[in-house]
Amino acid sequence: MLQHIKQVLTPAEVRYAQDLLVDAPWSDGRASAGTQAALVKNNTQLPHECEVARTLREFVLKALDRHPMFFAASLPKKLFTPRFNRYGQSVNAEPMFYGPHIDNAIRFAPDTGLRVRTDISATLFLSDPDSYEGGELVVHDSTGVQRIKLAAGDLVLYPSTSVHQVTPVTGGTRLACFFWIESMVRSDEKRSLLIDLDNTIQALRTKHGETAEAVALTGTYHNLLRQWADS
Ligand code: NI
């Protein structure tokens, strides 16, 4: 299930990230791609060890932690280090892009070597959508093709099992943060049921306040999570 989480970063936080990223030491993005993905990838990324990457990934992790929706939407068990990429135009004015690919199933954390199974892929948009041409994230999921270009500071989560691409950026610069989540609930289908149930319970509470039925459904939610979560 594809999920849009609004305002993970406030406008002021987005500006702070943009200011740090503008003069950052960008390098060829192919270094971190799998063999198939490297053939279709043309963008730039921040090296893992650079100061800006260190500062900003801590900043993003804190923002995710305090957002009321992130935990329920992803049920995270492990999170693979947030990274940063930039799509603009190459020196010869060629638009940068990332063609159709699927993310590697297993990632090894650069610091610890810890394995992370990629259940959910995440993109946090960092550029104002009006400031660049193209650069849509296109996700092929079970419901068809989704074209995503969100406000700066907004996050999209989508199943890592989906083929996806970033369309050529023909003008301006597209900055983003991306990462992967190993979820306590591996199945996208089960996660989707839990999210739907959670959202419905919240809506019931908003409409009718606390009721015995809302309490009972909350119990059902947690009992399902107990059945399905691998914590
Ligand atoms: Ni990808």
Side-chain angles (χ1 to χ4, degrees):
M1 151 188 233
L2 204 133
Q3 297 182 84
H4 176 182
I5 301 183
K6 289 185 183 169
Q7 288 235 327
V8 168
L9 299 181
T10 64
E13 289 171 331
V14 167
R15 273 194 302 279
Y16 167 75
Q18 288 172 344
D19 287 347
L20 283 184
L21 289 173
V22 74
D23 292 322
W26 296 98
S27 63
D28 192 325
R30 272 172 282 234
S32 72
T35 316
Q36 184 273 328
L39 297 173
V40 292
K41 188 175 189 183
N42 173 15
N43 72 355
T44 55
Q45 279 178 201
L46 272 194
H48 178 71
E49 287 308 325
C50 83
E51 197 53 42
V52 175
R54 276 177 206 276
T55 306
L56 280 183
R57 66 178 170 256
E58 289 308 316
F59 183 72
V60 168
L61 288 171
K62 279 193 186 122
L64 293 171
D65 252 354
R66 67 164 192 255
H67 197 284
M69 280 175 65
F70 178 72
F71 186 88
S74 61
L75 299 167
K77 181 176 178 183
K78 297 182 202 165
L79 201 145
F80 186 85
T81 324
R83 291 187 163 176
F84 299 86
N85 60 18
R86 185 190 66 170
Y87 294 77
Q89 296 81 45
S90 317
V91 271
N92 53 359
E94 289 290 313
M96 295 184 188
F97 66 96
Y98 198 164
H101 68 280
I102 198 146
D103 297 337
N104 283 0
I106 306 291
R107 296 248 159 203
F108 297 89
D111 308 326
T112 58
L114 208 69
R115 285 190 298 273
V116 178
R117 188 187 63 231
T118 59
D119 296 323
I120 302 172
S121 299
T123 300
L124 174 62
F125 287 75
L126 294 175
S127 294
D128 183 329
D130 295 331
S131 70
Y132 60 97
E133 308 286 331
E136 291 171 308
L137 171 66
V138 178
V139 178
H140 302 252
D141 75 356
S142 52
T143 59
V145 176
Q146 315 284 335
R147 306 182 76 88
I148 303 147
K149 188 169 180 174
L150 302 181
D154 285 13
L155 175 74
V156 64
L157 301 176
Y158 58 98
S160 301
T161 48
S162 320
V163 171
H164 57 277
Q165 63 186 300
V166 175
T167 62
V169 174
T170 53
T173 303
R174 176 198 194 266
L175 297 170
C177 169
F178 63 101
F179 54 94
W180 293 273
I181 298 151
E182 178 174 326
S183 179
M184 291 186 285
V185 178
R186 180 179 187 163
S187 149
D188 180 54
E189 211 170 354
K190 287 178 180 164
R191 272 198 317 275
S192 300
L193 285 171
L194 287 169
I195 292 159
D196 284 346
L197 181 55
D198 191 32
N199 289 338
T200 307
I201 294 168
Q202 304 301 334
L204 266 180
R205 282 219 164 88
T206 307
K207 203 164 169 182
H208 301 292
E210 192 63 280
T211 58
E213 290 78 6
V215 172
L217 283 175
T218 304
T220 305
Y221 172 87
H222 285 286
N223 290 334
L224 278 175
L225 189 53
R226 240 185 292 278
Q227 290 283 326
W228 291 342
D230 168 20
S231 64

